[in-house]
Structures are given as structure tokens and as C-alpha cells.
Amino acid sequence: MNEEKERKRERVYSEEEIVSKLQAELPHWRYENGWIRRKYKTHGWKSTLMVINAVGHLAEAAWHHPDIKASYAWVEVLLMNHAAKGVTDKDFELARKIEDVVQWQPGRQGGALEGTPNADQRFAYLKYDS
């Protein structure tokens, strides 16, 4: 019964609200077929698996689990709150956390961490957004 009450309290966003929120807060994400989604391009299978594992860790910690599609050099993350039957704040919050972690480039922030040397294809990891 508590799960049913919780589901009723979750605000499900309309398609227009979702599109607007994505444009303002998560510009690399899109809304399609009831899901918010984002495709991350990688430099190969090892990088793809690292992205999947990072997303998996965040999802488990948040107790909100996305669908994931993957191939050799890409990972697509799809979020929708199954219990609420739509996109809710949980989806936007987890999408922001995933975006922060996967797109993190310490070399651009200054400080002691250099970041992955993407110029050398032997070490290239993710095809970062500009």
C-alpha cells in the first residue's frame, strides 16, 4: 500500500514540460517514445563497458534503474519511472548525475588530475561533448 501511495505522489511531467526541461537543463538529452534518453559515444568496447558500469553504479545507489542499450562504441541511457508510468523528477535527477559523471573532464578544470589523453588513440576514452 505504501508503494501505491508513493506512486500517486510522483509528479509525471507532460511531453511539453519534458522537452522544455531538457532544453534548459540537459541539452544533450532528448525525449522519445515516453523516455528521456542520451547516447554517449565512446572510443571502443572497453570504454563502453566503463560507461555502463558507471551508470549502473549511479542507478543502484539512487535505486532508480534506467534501460541501457549498447554497441561497440556507444551507450544509450533511457530513463522513465516505471512505477509512475512516465517521466518524473527521479529521471531528471538521475540524468543530471549521469551527465555529470560521464562527461567529467578533470583536465579542463585545472588542478592535479590531468584527465584521459584523448589525443592519443591508445588511451582515448569517451567522445566528449564540446
Side-chain angles (χ1 to χ4, degrees):
M1 183 132 157
N2 285 341
E3 286 180 42
E4 188 176 323
K5 285 181 184 178
E6 184 66 27
R7 190 176 12 205
K8 287 180 182 177
R9 282 191 297 198
E10 297 230 34
R11 179 177 189 272
V12 175
Y13 287 85
S14 71
E15 183 173 348
E16 295 77 26
E17 291 172 316
I18 294 166
V19 170
S20 176
K21 207 163 169 54
L22 290 177
Q23 287 174 347
E25 300 173 21
L26 293 159
H28 297 286
W29 288 69
R30 69 185 197 285
Y31 178 72
E32 184 181 300
N33 297 328
W35 301 81
I36 61 171
R37 50 181 75 209
R38 166 79 147 103
K39 186 179 274 189
Y40 296 99
K41 295 179 182 176
T42 70
H43 280 275
W45 186 242
K46 290 186 288 185
S47 302
T48 294
L49 292 177
M50 285 191 277
V51 170
I52 291 170
N53 284 326
V55 170
H57 167 73
L58 296 171
E60 192 63 18
W63 200 245
H64 187 57
H65 304 94
D67 281 18
I68 297 174
K69 296 180 183 181
S71 189
Y72 176 78
W74 59 266
V75 176
E76 186 174 19
V77 179
L78 299 91
L79 285 162
M80 186 258 298
N81 188 322
H82 297 283
K85 296 182 172 74
V87 176
T88 68
D89 286 324
K90 287 181 179 180
D91 302 298
F92 289 112
E93 286 184 31
L94 185 54
R96 273 190 292 280
K97 181 54 81 176
I98 291 168
E99 192 73 1
D100 289 347
V101 170
V102 173
Q103 287 293 311
W104 182 46
Q105 297 179 66
R108 289 188 169 193
Q109 296 174 341
L113 298 172
E114 298 172 27
T116 306
N118 277 325
D120 186 333
Q121 291 302 299
R122 294 174 301 161
F123 305 112
Y125 167 59
L126 195 73
K127 295 182 180 179
Y128 294 102
D129 299 328
S130 300

